[in-house]
Amino acid sequence: MPLIRIYTDERGEPRARIVEEDGNYVVSMDVFRDVPAPPPDAEVLQIGERYKIYVRKCPLLRGVCEFVYFQFPGGVQLINAKYVGPDDPEVVIQELSKAYQEEVPQDEKHGAEQ
């Protein structure tokens, strides 16, 4: 049975969800950053005619990182960064935070993290 826990930051705010099973982890962080467009190499999943979900995968540490974008009539947001693999969640949280900040270039950051 998987073990699920919430990782909180130094202020006590929930920062990530961690699922552990058989020595592998899924670390998921909600992001909510406005971006001008989804990356061109992202896979698209259509939800109805108005909404699209885009997923871009890339290597991270010894696992895989997924960035999830949501396109709606008013814009596009990077909504989630997720890691799947065997690395220690404490290390993953730091690396995943860096990865999503690199995913949204500095000059394009105009949304607020929630």
Side-chain angles (χ1 to χ4, degrees), residues 40-87:
D41 61 341
E43 177 185 349
V44 64
L45 306 167
Q46 185 110 8
I47 301 175
E49 292 185 25
R50 297 181 54 165
Y51 305 102
K52 292 181 183 175
I53 298 290
Y54 292 83
V55 178
R56 188 174 88 74
K57 296 180 182 182
C58 60
L60 182 67
L61 301 170
R62 294 181 296 153
V64 176
C65 176
E66 290 183 355
F67 296 107
V68 180
Y69 293 84
F70 180 56
Q71 184 175 35
F72 50 97
V76 178
Q77 285 189 336
L78 172 61
I79 61 171
N80 186 268
K82 182 185 316 173
Y83 165 87
V84 179
D87 296 294

Side-chain angles (χ1 to χ4, degrees), residues 4-46:
I4 302 169
R5 67 181 195 255
I6 302 295
Y7 174 85
T8 55
D9 64 16
E10 59 279 351
R11 297 175 295 168
E13 296 292 324
R15 178 106 169 110
R17 290 171 301 283
I18 302 168
V19 178
E20 177 185 0
E21 185 170 29
D22 298 330
N24 283 304
Y25 299 92
V26 175
V27 179
S28 178
M29 301 173 76
D30 294 332
V31 179
F32 300 107
R33 296 274 186 176
D34 291 333
V35 296
D41 61 341
E43 177 185 349
V44 64
L45 306 167
Q46 185 110 8

Side-chain angles (χ1 to χ4, degrees), residues 96-110:
L96 195 55
S97 293
K98 289 179 198 173
Y100 87 68
Q101 290 172 12
E102 291 172 6
E103 183 76 0
V104 181
Q106 292 292 350
D107 61 338
E108 295 175 1
K109 286 184 182 177
H110 49 272

